[in-house]
Amino acid sequence: MRAVVIRSFGGPEVLEVTEVPVPVPGPGQVLIRVEAATVNPVDVATRSGALAEAGLLPPRDVIGLGWDVAGVVEATGPGVAGLASGDRVIGLSDRLDVPLGAQAEYVVLDADAVTRAPAGVTPAEAATLPLNGLTAVQALDRLDLARGGTLLVTGAAG
């Protein structure tokens, strides 16, 4: 399968599309055939080396990119309940200790990082939800608004 990786840090010129084996889901994991994946600021920070400089990215020879994914479940590992082959899903590949990200033809995610895709949206639209949704939920949690409180969101571009 093809996957987007980097072997050194820098600008867009370090991006490489390479052939790698299709990953295999382990216990509690799901293999997703990727239909859409996003490019987020965290991918730029990974590619540039900013995450490594901050001590957040363990050293590796090859680093995969991509956090958000929309696709179809191809297989599940032992112990996965509630998801089955053929299910349309979205997921978040936020682990920095794994070799590949969501910018690939297939990705393995922990089942608790995957949920069914919302009905009526395209894969490209669905793929924008995981990281942006997580960011919104975390912001709301930190604000700790009182029930019935008001929040004004301007810009809402990510």
Side-chain angles (χ1 to χ4, degrees):
M1 73 162 194
R2 294 175 300 163
V4 177
V5 302
I6 59 171
R7 297 177 194 277
S8 62
F9 299 120
E13 70 280 356
V14 302
L15 295 171
E16 177 185 337
V17 177
T18 188
E19 290 288 330
V20 297
V22 174
V24 176
Q29 295 182 322
V30 177
L31 175 66
I32 300 169
R33 180 175 38 86
V34 176
E35 294 183 317
T38 62
V39 176
N40 287 299
V42 70
D43 297 306
V44 175
T46 302
R47 187 201 71 222
S48 71
L51 291 183
E53 288 174 15
L56 299 173
L57 184 64
R60 293 199 300 275
D61 292 336
V62 178
I63 299 168
L65 297 177
W67 282 41
D68 292 312
V69 64
V72 177
V73 173
E74 283 287 313
T76 59
V80 173
L83 294 170
S85 294
D87 287 347
R88 300 190 81 70
V89 294
I90 58 175
L92 185 63
S93 176
D94 63 346
R95 292 186 46 200
L96 297 174
D97 62 337
V98 296
L100 295 174
Q103 293 174 12
E105 291 181 301
Y106 292 89
V107 64
V108 166
L109 298 179
D110 293 339
D112 62 2
V114 177
T115 190
R116 292 185 191 279
V121 298
T122 67
E125 293 165 337
T128 67
L129 298 173
L131 188 55
N132 289 328
L134 176 62
T135 301
V137 167
Q138 289 174 334
L140 290 171
D141 286 347
R142 285 183 163 236
L143 286 171
D144 196 27
L145 289 177
R147 185 171 180 90
T150 301
L151 171 67
L152 173 64
V153 178
T154 62

